[in-house]
Amino acid sequence: MYKEVECILVTDCLTGMANTAYATPTGIYYLTYKQSPAHLSKYDAYVTYWMPFNGGIGMHDAPWRKQFGGTIYETNGSHGCINLPVDVAREIYEHVAAGMPVICYYE
């Protein structure tokens, strides 16, 4: 995460499952809003920090996940959302506002 020109946060995350309809779409989006707490009704999941940027796709805490990063997304990814550790989601939530850009890409 960058604030102005300074990198303020680097973290592992879990994205949508690669090579499926659930892959996180790449592109430049804008944060729609933020909500705490939130109920993701499509999945009947409750999260503390919800930050949507592409319809029903967004960043959120995923306390049910024990690992983030690496190649997990290839076989056990999300349904498109960016899953984050709770403490990381909290920190991002504190720094974002509606309209901020979100850039999604794969290396």
Side-chain angles (χ1 to χ4, degrees), residues 47-71:
V47 297
T48 304
Y49 306 102
W50 171 234
M51 300 160 277
F53 57 82
N54 181 9
I57 296 175
M59 297 177 279
H60 61 78
D61 55 305
W64 56 88
R65 297 268 184 195
K66 301 301 177 216
Q67 293 181 309
F68 299 87
T71 59

Side-chain angles (χ1 to χ4, degrees), residues 1 24 27 29 40 49-50 54 90-91 106:
M1 177 175 195
T24 302
Y29 305 95
L40 308 181
Y49 306 102
W50 171 234
N54 181 9
R90 179 185 320 107
E91 186 170 355
Y106 288 94

Side-chain angles (χ1 to χ4, degrees), residues 15 24-34 50-60 80-84 97 99-105:
T15 60
T24 302
T26 59
I28 299 173
Y29 305 95
Y30 296 91
L31 193 69
T32 311
Y33 62 91
K34 64 182 189 176
W50 171 234
M51 300 160 277
F53 57 82
N54 181 9
I57 296 175
M59 297 177 279
H60 61 78
C81 284
I82 310 288
N83 289 189
L84 298 162
M100 292 181 81
V102 177
I103 302 168
C104 296
Y105 68 96

Side-chain angles (χ1 to χ4, degrees), residues 4 14 22 32 47 62:
E4 307 213 1
L14 182 68
Y22 296 126
T32 311
V47 297

